Amino acid sequence: MRHRWVILLALMCVAALVTAGCSESDSASSARSQPSASAGGSDGPALSLVVIGDSIPYNMDTDCPGCTGFVDRYAKALAKATGREVETLNFSEHNSLTLPMLLEELKSFKKYLRSADAIVVGVAHNSVALNTDKPCGTTFDEAASTLKDWSKVTARCARSSAADYRPQYDRLFSTIASWREERPTLLRAINKYNDWIGWQDAHLTADQEHRTVLVHDAWNEMLCKSAERQGFACADIYHAFNGPDGTTPSGELLAADYTHPSDAGNARIARVLVDQGFEPSAE
């Protein structure tokens, strides 16, 4: 199957012209495992796109009614760039999936990841320090929709929290890479946008918003370094949503829940992925 990437390499010039089109479980057997197909213009064998992660790639109807998820948009772009049909298996999960949870079940996806031509990993939202049970040692005040003690959210906490998760991300990406058995595969990971800034329920002060930026800066730097070390290209949706310094509210790029991407947000994520081109990773 991997010889198909010769065609991908020959069509790299097409990738620059491609734009993305307007894509509750805990295991591979019960996830959204029914393949969907994006048609290309050739009779050649289909490419396999496998996606694992949390609810950001899931595109649940109740999160974003009528939206086209970035997974489906990306599959369409991949099909257009390669002239091949793309069969998509989206194993992302709408169950508050964390990185440790994904690692526990990772082997259940092995046969799908091992045979994939393209892999997208999106697991960042529920493990970042601000979304844990005790962010930097404080707690979340449900009534006020904010943290009880923002003074605990410091640059030191941001760095240490990110460092604590680095070995787990290293394990995730290195395990998937090892299953490739040195066969060319398009490997992609997405990082995390900031959905605290601009969240109307939170009413954050300028100082509190700055503290959320500290956390996201450290987290996304760690995640992308880990991914890139194992041959993944890291799609920087953080700065695509929040600007070059991370301080711009995600705004209309998020759905009504101000957590999951809106239709415009899904289009933005797909565009970041497409702009990375379609050259597979190879060792």
Side-chain angles (χ1 to χ4, degrees):
M1 292 176 63
R2 299 298 171 168
H3 69 277
R4 286 176 269 165
W5 282 114
V6 174
I7 298 167
L8 280 182
L9 292 173
L11 289 165
M12 282 297 294
C13 59
V14 179
L17 302 176
V18 175
T19 56
C22 297
S23 136
E24 291 199 67
S25 152
D26 57 8
S27 70
S29 60
S30 59
R32 303 171 71 187
S33 55
Q34 293 301 315
S36 59
S38 296
S42 171
D43 294 330
L47 298 174
S48 170
L49 168 63
V50 177
V51 181
I52 60 172
D54 54 35
S55 62
I56 303 305
Y58 192 94
N59 193 42
M60 194 174 199
D61 287 341
T62 54
D63 295 332
C64 190
C67 294
T68 302
F70 73 84
V71 171
D72 287 343
R73 294 171 187 263
Y74 185 60
K76 182 178 179 180
L78 178 58
K80 182 177 179 181
T82 61
R84 299 290 185 185
E85 180 179 320
V86 175
E87 292 184 349
T88 303
L89 283 170
N90 187 349
F91 290 116
S92 59
E93 303 173 38
H94 204 292
N95 59 357
S96 299
L97 185 81
T98 63
L99 176 57
M101 290 167 62
L102 179 58
L103 286 170
E104 287 181 1
E105 64 182 29
L106 189 59
K107 286 185 178 179
S108 67
F109 304 115
K110 182 176 180 178
K111 69 177 181 179
Y112 306 104
L113 294 167
R114 190 172 187 175
S115 62
D117 297 293
I119 297 170
V120 177
V121 178
V123 56
H125 185 84
N126 300 310
S127 298
V128 70
L130 292 174
N131 291 341
T132 58
D133 291 336
K134 292 185 177 181
C136 296
T138 185
T139 56
F140 188 77
D141 187 336
E142 295 286 351
S145 296
T146 189
L147 300 184
K148 290 185 177 180
D149 186 359
W150 277 96
S151 68
K152 293 182 179 294
V153 182
T154 62
R156 181 178 180 179
C157 171
R159 291 192 300 269
S160 63
S161 174
D164 286 344
Y165 273 87
R166 175 63 188 264
Q168 296 181 67
Y169 273 112
D170 287 347
R171 177 184 161 199
L172 172 68
F173 294 125
S174 65
T175 299
I176 295 172
S178 71
W179 289 342
R180 291 166 46 220
E181 296 181 338
E182 300 184 0
R183 293 172 297 184
T185 310
L186 197 157
L187 298 174
R188 298 292 181 262
I190 61 171
N191 59 14
K192 185 190 180 300
Y193 48 74
N194 189 336
D195 55 347
W196 284 77
I197 295 178
W199 179 31
Q200 297 303 311
D201 290 346
H203 304 293
L204 301 184
T205 66
D207 176 69
Q208 291 167 350
E209 289 187 348
H210 173 68
R211 292 174 188 271
T212 71
V213 173
L214 293 176
V215 172
H216 283 82
D217 282 351
W219 182 259
N220 287 316
E221 180 182 11
M222 173 275 298
L223 191 160
C224 285
K225 284 184 176 179
S226 176
E228 290 165 356
R229 183 178 179 84
Q230 300 301 330
F232 284 74
C234 188
D236 185 13
I237 65 174
Y238 173 40
H239 293 104
F241 274 54
N242 304 116
D245 60 1
T247 62
T248 302
S250 295
E252 65 179 11
L253 296 175
L254 297 184
D257 64 0
Y258 213 75
T259 299
H260 298 89
S262 65
D263 202 52
N266 275 294
R268 182 72 59 87
I269 296 171
R271 185 158 60 247
V272 174
L273 284 164
V274 169
D275 285 347
Q276 293 181 315
F278 298 101
E279 182 176 6
S281 301
E283 296 180 356

